[in-house]
Amino acid sequence: MAPINSVIFVTHTLAQLAIIQLHNSLATDLPTSYETCLTAAREILRLTQVLTPADYARTTMEVVLSVLIRHHRTLMRRFEDVSQVDLELDCIVAALENLRGTYPVV
């Protein structure tokens, strides 16, 4: 079996969650929205059987970190102020430290 790309799995899960959020208010009245929500919920369930909660937490933080680090480097190359990004990165580090107690692999 090929290794799991947790970034793709988490992204797919979030996309399915967005589908549910978009259709949920209409699901009571529209059969298509009802089925759309049900299909998305089952897809999320299928994905959660493959990934652990720690995978979700770690992957989410990795994606956010990569974006913020890229932005930080861009600002540094332009000799622009990076203080806001530094604060954001500190928040990510604090979140990871908090998650360590719940998910020791993070």
Side-chain angles (χ1 to χ4, degrees), residues 45-96:
L45 180 60
R46 187 184 70 78
L47 292 167
T48 58
Q49 294 170 349
V50 177
L51 296 178
T52 66
D55 291 327
Y56 282 104
R58 185 179 57 248
T59 301
T60 301
M61 293 300 145
E62 286 174 1
V63 170
V64 172
L65 272 172
S66 68
V67 170
L68 291 175
I69 289 169
R70 180 181 62 217
H71 184 55
H72 190 279
R73 289 178 179 156
T74 299
L75 293 176
M76 292 287 288
R77 278 194 303 273
R78 296 177 184 166
F79 301 100
E80 294 181 25
D81 181 29
V82 295
S83 59
Q84 177 64 36
V85 180
D86 286 341
L87 290 173
E88 294 164 341
L89 290 169
D90 288 344
C91 287
I92 297 295
V93 170
L96 288 171

Side-chain angles (χ1 to χ4, degrees), residues 4-13 51 55 59-60 62-63:
I4 297 170
N5 184 334
S6 58
V7 172
I8 290 173
F9 272 72
V10 170
T11 303
H12 188 68
T13 300
L51 296 178
D55 291 327
T59 301
T60 301
E62 286 174 1
V63 170

Side-chain angles (χ1 to χ4, degrees), residues 28-43:
T28 307
D29 300 323
L30 294 175
T32 54
S33 289
Y34 181 91
E35 286 300 320
T36 298
C37 288
L38 185 59
T39 300
R42 287 181 173 153
E43 182 63 11

